[in-house]
Amino acid sequence: MKQRQELKTRPAYLDKLLAVKDNGLIKVITGMRRCGKSSLLALLAQRLVDDGIPEDHIITINLESFQYHAYSADRLYRRIDELTQGDGRHYLLLDEVQLVDGWEQAVNALRVDKDIDIYLTGSNAHLLSSQLATLLSGRHVEIRVFPLSFREFLNYAGIDDSPAARTAAFERYTRYGGLPPVVDQGTNQMLAHTVLSGIYDTILMRDIAQYLQIRNPMVFNDVTRYLADTAGSPVSISNIEHRLKSAHRPTANETIERYISGLLDAFLFYRAQRINVKGGGYLQGLSKYYPADLGIRNMLLGYPAGDFGFLLENVVHNELRTRGYDVQVGKMDNLEIDFVATRIGDDLAQERLFIQVSASILDAHTRARELEPLQRLRRLGVGGADGVGAGGVGVGGGVGVGGGRRIVLTLDTFGLGTTDDGIAIVNALDWLLER
């Protein structure tokens, strides 16, 4: 029997997998490289053994291994067929499945021919979606894995959540990010930089260049750095085009848009589109882009000592994604709401949050500026049903039709609570560490 590998747990994701175990659907685990998908499969395999599944009924294949580099869909099917002989249900765990051309044909045939529960991971949304949309449409469920959240980061790194420890940990988190192999390097910047550079290069070569046919990597890197440098600000394709032209690297708008799509497909960035809060419709152009991991962002920009308010905004955005929200930027006349976050609960009711993010609102002018959009929401009859719930730090209460909870997240540690008109002023680290 093989010695059990010691793995750090990701209970939120493992619970999601166990909840859909044996449900007849193919489980597709997506996310950027090195965010923990392979470890999650290993955790699942260990749990299946603990639950009494025979080890020879758990088939784990990492398709990045050299022994599978020349595999076709037919050869992959035959290999798995050899490994799943015998009675009883088998469990197939396929890592980085998009590396095999036509993999969906093999997986669909296995689903039909075998008593088998199938779990796949992939690091490229474009390749996966184009293939899933054919033979596996309606026969799969997607589980998105993100880099470590701040709460996960503390647990993973063995840091307690005392006020002093978590403040220092947050500075480390916003500098080096939450990718597990980077967190494993501790505070050694040289090692962290080496790992981050390697991850980015792998994503570029394995998950983007192979289907985008990048002819000029310097232009691609320029576009990536531009998005990293302007994260949280509205992005104009024309501005990127002008910047490249001034650097003597003229590039067509269509190419820039294709490169941005590649970055989104590889889960390196998220796009937050603008919506009209009063009307609810999407507004054209000037979306915002947020790096999925601040370590990658800082590595690309040379670890700048930039605006900490931006870093906090990026962390809040990514945390909302991790918690299952769709995230947009709210526009209301001449005002902007940092995030309008919406998700459907287990009871199928819609939950909506209107969130402003500011490192500090102790200055009276800053406080008024951050509160004004949320106050106008109430006057428009949009931001209702606020309040402080008994089980949290300012995010309780119900959600009415067209309503939502209004929250200001700040690093301030006093002046917190609920305003007279129902806006919750919440310490951001308290919010990030909510269960």
Side-chain angles (χ1 to χ4, degrees):
M1 180 175 178
K2 293 187 295 185
Q3 185 177 1
R4 170 167 290 205
Q5 181 184 3
E6 289 298 324
L7 295 167
K8 296 183 179 180
T9 61
R10 306 279 305 265
Y13 295 109
L14 184 58
D15 288 347
K16 288 181 180 181
L17 284 181
L18 294 173
V20 294
K21 173 176 168 283
D22 296 323
N23 70 348
L25 297 177
I26 295 167
K27 274 63 76 172
V28 182
I29 305 165
T30 61
M32 70 181 293
R33 283 187 182 269
R34 308 310 299 275
C35 71
K37 302 187 301 298
S38 300
S39 296
L40 182 59
L41 284 186
L43 287 167
L44 175 63
Q46 289 184 359
R47 179 60 179 269
L48 292 174
V49 171
D50 291 342
D51 290 345
I53 305 299
E55 287 193 49
D56 62 357
H57 279 53
I58 303 170
I59 314 303
T60 301
I61 296 177
N62 185 347
L63 292 167
E64 287 191 297
S65 173
F66 185 75
Q67 64 180 308
Y68 302 110
H69 81 283
Y71 263 46
S72 62
D74 178 68
R75 190 175 177 188
L76 179 64
Y77 177 91
R78 287 187 281 110
R79 176 56 179 160
I80 295 170
D81 182 48
E82 293 171 358
L83 296 171
T84 53
Q85 298 300 318
D87 297 331
R89 172 160 295 178
H90 287 77
Y91 293 82
L92 174 63
L93 285 56
L94 277 179
D95 208 0
E96 298 297 349
V97 70
Q98 80 278 353
L99 296 177
V100 175
D101 289 336
W103 63 266
E104 71 277 13
Q105 300 173 21
V107 167
N108 188 54
L110 289 165
R111 180 190 65 82
V112 172
D113 297 344
K114 298 280 187 177
D115 181 8
I116 191 168
D117 195 24
I118 302 174
Y119 300 79
L120 317 173
T121 78
S123 300
N124 187 295
H126 171 81
L127 296 177
L128 284 172
S129 62
S130 62
Q131 294 159 327
L132 290 171
T134 55
L135 294 176
L136 303 182
S137 178
R139 301 187 178 99
H140 72 279
V141 57
E142 180 180 357
I143 296 173
R144 177 74 64 85
V145 177
F146 298 86
L148 298 171
S149 67
F150 184 55
R151 170 175 284 281
E152 285 186 306
F153 169 80
L154 293 182
N155 293 335
Y156 189 95
I159 301 171
D160 67 72
D161 62 356
S162 64
R166 74 180 191 178
T167 298
F170 191 67
E171 292 181 10
R172 173 182 163 189
Y173 181 70
T174 55
R175 185 167 183 80
Y176 302 116
L179 292 172
V182 179
V183 178
D184 287 336
Q185 311 311 313
T187 57
N188 187 317
Q189 177 159 320
M190 182 68 72
L191 289 176
H193 175 77
T194 299
V195 175
L196 286 165
S197 297
I199 292 172
Y200 175 74
D201 290 343
T202 301
I203 291 172
L204 173 60
M205 297 306 298
R206 301 294 295 275
D207 300 325
I208 299 177
Q210 65 178 350
Y211 81 95
L212 279 189
Q213 298 180 338
I214 296 173
R215 294 183 177 86
N216 191 334
M218 292 182 65
V219 170
F220 179 84
N221 286 329
D222 282 346
V223 172
T224 306
R225 290 191 179 94
Y226 182 90
L227 292 188
D229 193 31
T230 60
S233 300
V235 170
S236 164
I237 301 297
S238 296
N239 286 346
I240 301 177
E241 182 185 21
H242 293 152
R243 178 163 167 171
L244 291 171
K245 187 175 181 179
S246 65
H248 305 291
R249 286 196 280 272
T251 307
N253 276 5
E254 293 78 7
T255 300
I256 296 170
E257 291 174 350
R258 192 162 55 89
Y259 287 175
I260 291 176
S261 293
L263 292 167
L264 297 174
D265 287 339
F267 307 105
L268 270 176
F269 286 84
Y270 308 119
R271 175 167 50 207
Q273 294 178 274
R274 299 186 308 155
I275 61 169
N276 183 337
V277 174
K278 291 189 289 186
Y282 284 100
L283 300 174
Q284 294 296 317
L286 296 180
S287 296
K288 294 185 178 184
Y289 296 84
Y290 291 92
D293 180 75
L294 284 174
I296 295 285
R297 178 257 181 190
N298 292 334
M299 181 275 297
L300 289 168
L301 299 178
Y303 304 94
D307 179 9
F308 206 74
F310 151 72
L311 298 174
L312 177 62
E313 180 181 329
N314 206 142
V315 170
V316 169
H317 171 274
N318 293 355
E319 178 69 19
L320 288 167
R321 298 273 186 181
T322 300
R323 295 184 186 187
Y325 288 94
D326 291 326
V327 185
Q328 288 88 32
V329 177
K331 294 293 292 183
M332 184 172 46
D333 299 324
N334 62 328
L335 298 177
E336 180 175 286
I337 299 171
D338 289 333
F339 301 124
V340 179
T342 308
R343 71 179 177 187
I344 304 299
D346 293 338
D347 59 356
L348 300 184
Q350 185 184 75
E351 177 187 1
R352 180 181 295 173
L353 306 177
F354 299 97
I355 295 179
Q356 292 286 84
V357 182
S358 180
S360 175
I361 58 170
L362 296 180
D363 174 75
H365 175 74
T366 303
R367 183 182 179 91
R369 184 190 69 218
E370 297 297 334
L371 289 177
E372 184 181 2
L374 302 180
Q375 291 167 338
R376 188 178 295 187
L377 278 175
R378 171 59 61 87
R379 294 195 293 270
L380 292 173
V382 177
D386 306 287
V388 179
V393 286
V395 291
V399 178
V401 176
R405 291 167 284 178
R406 297 172 299 152
I407 307 169
V408 176
L409 295 176
T410 174
L411 293 174
D412 296 335
T413 56
F414 57 94
L416 308 176
T418 305
T419 66
D420 291 341
D421 59 352
I423 298 171
I425 312 296
V426 181
N427 177 267
L429 299 190
D430 287 340
W431 181 80
L432 289 168
L433 294 177
E434 281 186 340
R435 296 189 183 279

